[in-house]
């Protein structure tokens, strides 16, 4: 995510980086810690992500065994 300060005081553009592959794309459109560091102020909003998937794609499945912890 790229952050850009605007001429208007207190306005910041959060420009996401899109990650493409043959299934579609994923973007982290906002992340709290990055913006807090940029503006040097605490905020109450965590994270926002956007994704687009082609037909037949399954996303968001995560698997963890007790050995991988």
């Amino acid at each position: 995510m790229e952050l850009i300060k605007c001429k208007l005081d207190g306005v910041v553009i959060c420009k996401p980086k899109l990650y493409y592959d043959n299934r579609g794309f994923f973007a982290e459109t906002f992340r709290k810690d990055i913006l807090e560091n940029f503006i040097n102020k605490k905020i109450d909003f965590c994270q926002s992500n956007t994704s687009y998937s082609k037909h037949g794609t399954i996303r968001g499945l995560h698997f963890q065994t007790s050995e991988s912890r």
Side-chain angles (χ1 to χ4, degrees):
M1 177 173 81
E2 177 185 0
L3 300 175
I4 304 164
K5 285 190 178 182
C6 294
K7 291 180 182 179
L8 295 172
D9 188 39
V11 177
V12 177
I13 296 173
C14 299
K15 186 176 177 182
K17 181 176 181 181
L18 300 177
Y19 298 92
Y20 290 93
D21 63 19
N22 61 342
R23 300 170 296 168
F25 74 82
F26 176 84
E28 185 178 75
T29 53
F30 172 80
R31 207 170 90 201
K32 178 181 179 175
D33 61 330
I34 294 174
L35 182 58
E36 284 181 338
N37 289 336
F38 189 77
I39 64 173
N40 198 30
K41 184 178 177 182
K42 293 289 183 185
I43 56 174
D44 190 24
F45 185 81
C46 294
Q47 186 168 332
S48 176
N49 301 320
T50 302
S51 67
Y52 168 79
S53 300
K54 293 180 180 178
H55 179 75
T57 299
I58 298 175
R59 290 189 184 264
L61 297 178
H62 301 270
F63 179 75
Q64 181 174 342
T65 64
S66 60
E67 292 87 31
S68 62
R69 290 184 188 169

